[in-house]
Amino acid sequence: MRKLNLPEVVRRFDGARIEEIPFGRVLKVPRESFRALCEALKLDGCELSSITAVDRIESLEVDVHLLISPSEQLTVKTEVPVDDPKVDSLCPVWTGAEWQEREVYDMYGVEFSGHPDLTRILLTDDFEGFPLRKSYELEEVEW
């Protein structure tokens, strides 16, 4: 595994920036560069750990957790608008992204362009809405 030169990777992508946090590093990238940057990180030896999302109310944040080495990790984040929740799929980069992207789609409604089978994975096909969004309203059920 090569030593990752993160500043060099970031320089290649407009709008990308590194943030140091107490538990590692975060790389924020515009959604237009999301997949290309992840492809560059894969070529530098990074492996996919997980994909999730966070509802920030005004936007949705897609978070990709990568392993740089057995003891070092990196989080790649991109924001997508709530009214246009689309980002390129990472399935062509890491095949293990397929089910994780389906879960993010199912729970948050983020559409991954180029995904081979973007269908619900946890909820029924007729389920309406995305239950992990803060705007999702729960129904009151009589017991």
Side-chain angles (χ1 to χ4, degrees), residues 4-141:
L4 179 64
N5 185 346
L6 197 52
E8 177 58 35
V9 172
V10 170
R11 270 193 287 280
R12 290 186 267 159
F13 297 92
D14 287 338
R17 67 186 191 281
I18 303 170
E19 293 182 5
E20 298 290 334
I21 60 171
F23 301 105
R25 291 176 286 182
V26 172
L27 180 53
K28 293 192 174 183
V29 61
R31 72 173 167 170
E32 296 78 23
S33 302
F34 179 65
R35 183 162 63 201
L37 185 133
C38 287
E39 287 171 343
L41 292 171
K42 166 88 185 243
L43 290 173
D44 280 339
C46 291
E47 292 298 329
L48 178 66
S49 177
S50 64
I51 301 172
T52 190
V54 177
D55 185 345
R56 300 281 184 208
I57 299 176
E58 62 281 343
S59 66
L60 297 170
E61 178 184 273
V62 176
D63 295 353
V64 178
H65 303 105
L66 302 175
L67 298 174
I68 297 173
S69 71
S71 62
E72 192 177 7
Q73 62 184 0
L74 171 70
T75 302
V76 177
K77 296 183 178 205
T78 192
E79 288 189 23
V80 296
V82 173
D83 59 348
D84 184 27
K86 296 177 185 166
V87 69
D88 288 333
S89 173
L90 296 180
C91 290
V93 183
W94 293 286
T95 56
E98 185 175 347
W99 283 29
Q100 295 180 54
E101 288 180 351
R102 286 178 63 193
E103 183 178 0
V104 171
Y105 166 73
D106 205 3
M107 296 288 110
Y108 291 93
V110 176
E111 295 178 29
F112 292 90
S113 302
H115 190 283
D117 182 29
L118 195 61
T119 56
R120 291 202 180 262
I121 193 168
L122 299 172
L123 301 170
T124 61
D125 291 337
D126 61 344
F127 189 90
E128 293 184 23
F130 305 104
L132 292 184
R133 283 197 184 183
K134 292 177 180 172
S135 61
Y136 183 78
E137 294 192 25
L138 296 174
E139 291 181 33
E140 188 171 322
V141 178

